[in-house]
Amino acid sequence: MKRVLRSGILSVIVLLSILGLSACGAAPSIPAATGGAVASAAPRATAAGLEMLEEGGNAIDAAVATALVLAVVHPNAGNLGGGGFAIVRMGDEVEALDFRETAPAAARAEMYLDEHGEAISDLSLIGPLAAGVPGSPHGYFELHRRYGALPWSRVVDPAIRAARDGFVVTDRLAEALEENQDLLARFETTAAVWLPGGQTHDAGSTVRIPALAESLQAYADRGPAALMEGSIAEVVVAASERNGGILSLKDLADYRPVWRRPIRFRAFGWEIASMPLPSSGGIILGQTCGMLERLDWAAKSRFGADRTHLLAEVWRRAYADRFLLGDPSTSHATAEDLLSPKWLDRRAATIDVERATASDEVLPWSGPTPTESDQTTHLSVVDSEGNAVALTTTLNGSFGCGLLVPEAGFLLNNEMDDFAAQPGKPNQFGLVQGEANAVGPGKRMLSSMTPTVAWRDGEVVALGAPGGSRIPTGTAQVLLNIIVDGDGLKSAVDRPRVHHQWRPDAIWAEADALATETQQDLIRRGHSIRKRNAVGLVQITRRTSDGECQAVADPRGPGSAAVVGKNKEIHQ
Ligand code: DON
């Protein structure tokens, strides 16, 4: 009898946790304190962020120190040879920094096509021909130049120490090295660091990267010019040329990050700021919230098929519009077009609350202006003043294009694959993209990264994720769990997620995201459903209106969340 009772209680607890509720109704406990909070993909990187906050640094100092340590200890995504975006809210200023890679001046629309006009996917994925001009060295420096409080050299110091004195390989890094052995073995210089003697580093072993430590020291002394001009730029270009790349010294010297006006909107009583073009992320998030408000999504039950159906329908339309997007200079639609109340009204009005619309029937916006794209990493910081930084950075694929620049010690990205190598054909994330995102010299390739800051009545939340095309949808769901349903951070992140991206026409669902009856209901409405292991890996921080800072790292991936002065929550 007792056993039956116990197993009954256990099933209720399992069910409640699947539904995102804790058995006693209380929020699961997470670290909280008033001095600030950091969530990132690696414990050592999060520790660097905390070190800055503890020394009186602000959210920017913490975010940049965290990102730079990720460039050492999380080489599959953290980087100096990649790029990214940041949304910062410092006092009353809300800004977006675009440090996305650019296409080299010698890039051409047909550079990844064979003689029949078919894309040769390896060319835009492996080796330096796949690399855009790195934006991270300027990006991190510019964030700090404008808003940092601690000296620049102090912010770079934890990364120098990690590269010079060594860091311990986590289980997740050991796994990533194992999984990517073939890529890492392709270039001798990469293998020398990451596959010494042909072997991956074991979890628990210590790795030192002296060349990277020297690059970081030069960066600490002289800023981005130390990496983008002079001797390090020369080795980057030489390594690229030796391996079939087209990066030039001028490409590197000419690179500049751009401050942009964030996508701003109000939804469910919150102010939200997210990334504008060249990311599609903020537009997709804005369209999602705008259409859901029109469809009275908040009033629908959290359980059952109604909400998932509407999410799929909204994303089907938002990702169809994504087809028009690209670098701001060539995009076939703007944020103003796609977020205009009129367009959102019209789009929402085409949604049948009972039936799925076939993706073939959903066309991108056709407005008056014109006719008619593992591994990324996100970090979030809040500080004791309520300043917030959401920063997503990437090499694109895990370990980027695979080429480690020998004397410089860092990997180059393969971000060129985010262009539509062959417009209309799916890329590595299955995204079908248009002419607006064709390869072109100096252009920034369209992204899905969605660093986001949301605030209301003295409360602020910073979040974002890696996950390719699933970044906007993963980020949106966690945000909605908080701003619509009032979830605590942990429940908001843990709750299973779904995804739809117009093409292919399917809902991807994480395990436990949809109960059997819900799946049947969705199939009856005309959806097809596929399984997916993770819809984004969300790193999130929050400062409540009474000054309590909290952080949660997504248990789906590597992560470490911590607050000043308290124990860390770590997922290896
Ligand atoms: O900018 C983008 O959208 C992609 N380069 C992001 C790649 C990514 O998230 C891969 N990791 N999961």
Side-chain angles (χ1 to χ4, degrees):
M1 175 63 192
K2 251 195 195 149
R3 251 187 34 213
V4 172
L5 192 66
R6 230 188 10 239
S7 80
I9 292 172
L10 207 67
S11 333
V12 171
I13 293 174
V14 169
L15 181 71
L16 288 171
S17 67
I18 287 170
L19 298 177
L21 301 171
S22 69
C24 58
S29 97
I30 54 168
T34 54
V38 181
S40 87
R44 178 100 184 222
T46 295
L50 287 190
E51 194 179 314
M52 299 299 115
L53 293 174
E54 278 158 7
E55 257 178 52
N58 62 21
I60 291 284
D61 298 313
V64 174
T66 303
L68 286 170
V69 172
L70 287 169
V72 180
V73 307
H74 188 52
N76 29 344
N79 64 83
L80 287 177
F85 302 119
I87 296 291
V88 303
R89 182 166 177 262
M90 298 296 290
D92 291 336
E93 282 185 31
V94 187
E95 296 281 350
L97 185 68
D98 166 3
F99 56 100
R100 181 73 161 164
E101 298 90 330
T102 53
R108 294 294 175 263
E110 60 294 338
M111 66 189 278
Y112 300 118
L113 303 181
D114 65 14
E115 65 274 25
H116 309 294
E118 294 293 321
I120 311 168
S121 63
D122 274 5
L123 287 186
S124 60
L125 285 170
I126 300 170
L129 193 61
V133 182
S136 294
H138 273 286
Y140 304 144
F141 186 80
E142 176 60 18
L143 283 169
H144 177 268
R145 186 199 64 75
R146 178 146 171 195
Y147 291 113
L150 294 175
W152 172 241
S153 58
R154 182 67 194 94
V155 172
V156 187
D157 184 57
I160 298 176
R161 278 188 274 132
R164 187 194 55 210
D165 304 337
F167 61 91
V168 177
V169 174
T170 60
D171 295 345
R172 294 283 184 148
L173 176 55
E175 270 166 37
L177 293 169
E178 187 92 32
E179 273 164 26
N180 291 281
Q181 263 194 69
D182 290 351
L183 177 65
L184 299 171
R186 262 174 121 123
F187 300 98
E188 253 176 54
T189 54
T190 312
V193 172
W194 293 111
L195 282 180
Q199 303 296 311
T200 57
H201 296 280
D202 291 332
S205 61
T206 298
V207 172
R208 290 179 188 80
I209 317 175
L212 183 54
E214 279 178 36
S215 298
L216 285 162
Q217 185 62 62
Y219 186 43
D221 295 341
R222 293 188 288 118
L227 304 179
M228 304 296 279
E229 294 170 44
S231 60
I232 292 183
E234 277 162 22
V235 293
V236 169
V237 169
S240 162
E241 277 172 359
R242 264 200 313 277
N243 294 283
I246 54 173
L247 291 171
S248 72
L249 285 173
K250 184 164 167 26
D251 287 331
L252 299 185
D254 284 354
Y255 183 88
R256 291 291 175 270
V258 184
W259 286 104
R260 300 190 186 275
R261 217 152 36 101
I263 299 286
R264 291 280 300 265
F265 55 93
R266 208 182 149 71
F268 303 107
W270 287 66
E271 292 294 328
I272 297 166
S274 191
M275 199 60 212
L277 292 176
S279 183
S280 58
I283 295 177
I284 295 174
L285 185 65
Q287 287 202 334
T288 301
C289 292
M291 283 189 253
L292 291 182
E293 283 196 317
R294 283 163 174 77
L295 295 161
D296 209 9
W297 189 80
K300 313 259 185 267
S301 162
R302 278 194 103 171
F303 312 108
D306 286 351
R307 278 195 173 184
T308 305
H309 168 71
L310 291 181
L311 284 174
E313 291 310 301
V314 159
W315 291 334
R316 187 194 303 286
R317 285 156 179 82
Y319 279 79
D321 284 345
R322 188 186 188 281
F323 186 82
L324 301 174
L325 303 178
D327 180 284
S329 65
T330 55
S331 189
H332 289 178
T334 64
E336 287 70 36
D337 298 327
L338 300 183
L339 294 172
S340 77
K342 247 190 177 156
W343 179 235
L344 294 176
D345 288 345
R346 266 181 57 195
R347 268 300 207 213
T350 64
I351 292 176
D352 181 331
V353 292
E354 276 301 317
R355 292 289 311 164
T357 316
S359 283
D360 285 345
E361 288 165 22
V362 176
L363 300 177
W365 178 81
S366 60
T369 7
T371 54
E372 180 132 2
S373 152
D374 138 306
Q375 268 309 42
T376 296
T377 191
H378 179 84
L379 64 96
S380 294
V381 180
V382 290
D383 67 21
S384 57
E385 305 292 307
N387 300 313
V389 179
L391 187 154
T392 316
T393 182
T394 188
L395 290 165
N396 193 24
S398 209
F399 300 94
C401 76
L403 176 67
L404 184 131
V405 181
E407 293 90 334
F410 57 79
L411 288 153
L412 290 175
N413 66 83
N414 59 353
E415 217 73 63
M416 294 293 281
D417 192 66
D418 274 355
F419 281 118
Q422 192 182 354
K425 285 281 160 65
N427 73 354
Q428 64 165 333
F429 302 112
L431 283 170
V432 178
Q433 317 186 87
E435 279 299 334
N437 191 30
V439 184
K443 280 180 66 176
R444 283 160 146 92
M445 52 299 277
L446 184 62
S447 173
S448 301
M449 295 189 283
T450 316
T452 299
V453 175
W455 63 98
R456 178 190 67 169
D457 302 335
E459 180 178 3
V460 63
V461 176
L463 76 165
S469 58
R470 299 166 304 276
I471 294 172
T473 54
T475 305
Q477 283 165 95
V478 175
L479 184 65
L480 290 166
N481 288 340
I482 293 167
I483 68 176
V484 172
D485 293 309
D487 279 4
L489 287 204
K490 181 139 179 65
S491 316
V493 170
D494 286 357
R495 207 179 153 75
R497 302 193 275 265
V498 295
H499 172 75
H500 197 298
Q501 58 178 51
W502 180 44
R503 290 194 166 129
D505 187 348
I507 295 175
W508 273 279
E510 292 180 349
D512 299 330
L514 303 171
T516 312
E517 315 80 73
T518 306
Q519 288 191 39
Q520 284 161 355
D521 192 346
L522 289 165
I523 292 167
R524 188 182 52 71
R525 295 178 195 216
H527 294 283
S528 74
I529 295 173
R530 300 184 189 181
K531 289 273 165 255
R532 164 100 231 161
N533 51 1
V535 176
L537 306 175
V538 177
Q539 315 291 8
I540 186 164
T541 52
R542 157 155 74 182
R543 184 175 178 273
T544 61
S545 53
D546 52 11
E548 185 177 279
C549 299
Q550 309 162 345
V552 166
D554 199 322
R556 291 163 181 78
S560 156
V563 297
V564 170
K566 287 280 174 73
N567 293 336
K568 301 166 180 51
E569 178 216 8
I570 292 173
H571 312 290
Q572 283 261 313

